[in-house]
Amino acid sequence: MDNNNIEPNQRLHLKFYVLTSMDAHILLSVTSRPRPNDRVYEIVIGAGGNTFSAIRTSMGLRRVSTNQDPHLLSMYDPTPVEIIQTKEGDLYVYIPGFKKEPLLHFMDASALNINYISFSSFGTNSARWFYDCAFDGYSTEMEKEKRQLTVQERLMNALNDQGQNSSLPAKLSGLSFNFQMRSLTYEPANAMLRTRLQLLLHWQDPRLTWKPENYNNMTYLVHKQLEIWTPELLVLNGAWDSMGNVLKSYELRVYADGNVTLMVNNLELNTWCVDSARNWPHERVHCDIKMGLATNGLALIYDTQRPLAPNEHVNTLSGWTFVEIGVTHLENAESMRYSPEGLRQSMHGDMAIEFTLQRNGSFYRHVFVMPLAVCQIFIVLSFLLRGYRRGALILITLMLTAWGLIYLTRHASPHYVPQLMVDYQHVMRISVYCYLLHIAIMWLRCYPPRSKAPAWILAVINCPALRLVLGMRFSYSTDYGNIQDQPWRQVAKMLNNASLLVINIIFIVLDVRDLSSV
């Protein structure tokens, strides 16, 4: 107990600290092994579940002083305990900081000469004791050890003071910025552009200057506890977690000349981007990130002295290709960030990072256009076949178009009907028509009506101009009899040739239109 100095009128002066929830026992004895009936001073702080304190003259017995003040002990804050024994035999127990008067007092006419001290607790309760602590006299608590500040800490404290409570620098009109794209993806189903980039903001604060020779030639400082003004960057078309201030985790670097750089190494932004072209899978989408500062009168200035890195590293494994990037000022901007109704709006000095994305249409053309072309060929070839082979080929075509249409719904945009899906629908309708035509032709050839054909049907099948257009031989005298005897076979043949001609024209129109939209 080297740090427990005794005053002239005292026999004993002890001070220590305890961390426990209840039952802090201090035993003061003459011998190192006191017996149950020996006279001792047993001091209990927070006995009875931290409800009272007492002094006993025997271990567990003979209470001579009691105090009913509860809740003196705590598991979180150390409780100081000070014990003083005077030469007159008075034993005082103090709780410094609780009250000036003694917590416990006992006048012993036959005062014990204390040689040993013991700390304990009761039952299963645990306690932590701190003793022989250095303190100034007996009236003040322990003081924290003062250490010399490092050069970095001295500079940080100076900059925090010069920053004037993180106030806006005077005459600051704008912040220059630069960025480098890390990744970029587009989700057309959610109309959302997801970007990840490295962003740097630069500005000048003349208050944050220092002489490097005064700080061990330090020319810049990076510290997490810097308390200087930083901007609030808003994404005007942000979505989900990008709707407020997006500068949440960043590195702040201050230079000796007052230049400040804020760097966000991995800034993830979600912005709305709606595809209004409606030409899947040939979309060429123009998306942007509209950025601005929350403080009125501050503008963003793009740093053109630092060119952008190449765009190849931006492309990610997706169905979209990054084509072009640009930085422009927002047009039709207002002078205030918020409208009189409280709505956020674009302001003079806001910037937009514009992106041009193009879907990888070649993949979808190979997957969906080729089966469509094959179905068209199968339909045309079906007109050259007869019987069940023709019907089987048409059914195969119908199954292919149905499969392609179902598979197409998994990739095409659900917000509108793409032209390729319309083409599949046309081919499916044509397949159904061809199969019904096949049934009609089989019926006219194998089971023709027994009634005589009307005169207008005979006139149609004998028309030379119509037979020329449909690619049929003219009705010579040798064939005239057969035509008149079996007119329904000629009707079936003319229906077949006319349908082939019309379907070819439809396919040509569809293919030319698809090629023009690429």
Side-chain angles (χ1 to χ4, degrees), residues 448-513:
R450 297 182 180 180
S451 60
K452 186 177 181 181
W456 64 272
I457 292 181
L458 296 176
V460 169
I461 62 178
N462 289 323
C463 179
L466 182 59
R467 297 181 71 89
L468 177 63
V469 172
L470 298 178
M472 300 175 64
R473 292 183 298 175
F474 292 104
S475 57
Y476 297 105
S477 57
T478 55
D479 299 331
Y480 182 77
N482 295 332
I483 293 175
Q484 304 304 318
D485 294 337
Q486 300 178 350
W488 299 110
R489 290 179 176 270
Q490 291 296 316
V491 171
K493 189 173 182 180
M494 295 185 75
L495 285 175
N496 186 74
N497 291 7
S499 299
L500 176 61
L501 179 62
V502 173
I503 289 173
N504 282 327
I505 294 174
I506 293 174
F507 285 162
I508 291 172
V509 172
L510 293 177
D511 294 340
V512 170
R513 185 178 59 182

Side-chain angles (χ1 to χ4, degrees), residues 129-369:
W129 299 84
F130 305 89
Y131 62 92
D132 197 26
C133 302
F135 58 92
D136 184 12
Y138 306 104
S139 59
T140 59
E141 295 297 321
M142 292 186 298
E143 297 181 356
K144 293 183 178 180
E145 180 182 0
K146 295 182 179 180
R147 63 178 182 84
Q148 186 177 4
L149 297 178
T150 63
V151 177
Q152 191 179 38
E153 291 174 339
R154 287 196 298 111
L155 179 57
M156 181 197 67
N157 293 336
L159 292 179
N160 290 339
D161 293 337
Q162 295 167 199
Q164 300 176 356
N165 296 324
S166 304
S167 59
L168 178 68
K171 299 180 180 180
L172 182 63
S173 59
L175 283 73
S176 60
F177 78 98
N178 192 265
F179 65 95
Q180 183 181 25
M181 296 301 303
R182 298 290 178 85
S183 66
L184 188 148
T185 56
Y186 179 60
E187 299 177 1
N190 299 325
M192 186 173 296
L193 178 71
R194 300 185 184 273
T195 54
R196 187 168 60 87
L197 52 93
Q198 182 187 40
L199 179 68
L200 283 88
L201 294 171
H202 315 275
W203 67 92
Q204 178 74 22
D205 192 345
R207 303 171 298 180
L208 306 180
T209 58
W210 72 86
K211 294 181 179 180
E213 56 269 19
N214 295 338
Y215 296 95
N216 199 17
N217 294 324
M218 289 186 61
T219 58
Y220 68 90
L221 175 66
V222 179
H223 204 284
K224 294 182 179 180
Q225 298 181 0
L226 272 174
E227 297 178 359
I228 62 174
W229 178 85
T230 54
E232 292 186 16
L233 184 65
L234 304 177
V235 178
L236 304 180
N237 59 340
W240 305 117
D241 55 347
S242 301
M243 297 182 65
N245 182 21
V246 296
L247 299 180
K248 300 175 182 178
S249 178
Y250 51 82
E251 178 187 282
L252 204 58
R253 178 171 297 192
V254 183
Y255 292 88
D257 57 357
N259 284 319
V260 184
T261 298
L262 187 150
M263 183 181 70
V264 186
N265 191 41
N266 191 27
L267 181 59
E268 297 182 359
L269 299 177
N270 299 321
T271 53
W272 300 114
C273 181
V274 180
D275 176 22
S276 58
R278 295 178 176 267
N279 58 345
W280 185 92
H282 313 297
E283 298 103 320
R284 191 178 180 90
V285 183
H286 301 279
C287 302
D288 57 11
I289 302 175
K290 298 177 182 179
M291 299 188 303
L293 299 173
T295 306
N296 292 328
L298 288 185
L300 285 174
I301 305 170
Y302 179 59
D303 190 359
T304 57
Q305 297 180 357
R306 303 182 183 183
L308 295 176
N311 300 329
E312 285 74 11
H313 68 285
V314 180
N315 290 325
T316 55
L317 296 176
S318 66
W320 294 84
T321 303
F322 180 74
V323 178
E324 189 178 0
I325 187 173
V327 180
T328 59
H329 285 278
L330 289 181
E331 299 179 356
N332 302 324
E334 303 294 336
S335 59
M336 302 295 291
R337 172 60 64 199
Y338 294 92
S339 65
E341 294 79 14
L343 300 177
R344 191 168 60 188
Q345 58 188 1
S346 60
M347 187 178 65
H348 294 297
D350 293 346
M351 303 290 292
I353 306 176
E354 297 180 344
F355 306 94
T356 302
L357 305 174
Q358 186 172 357
R359 188 187 287 274
N360 186 11
S362 59
F363 168 77
Y364 297 97
R365 285 194 294 270
H366 284 85
V367 173
F368 296 109
V369 176

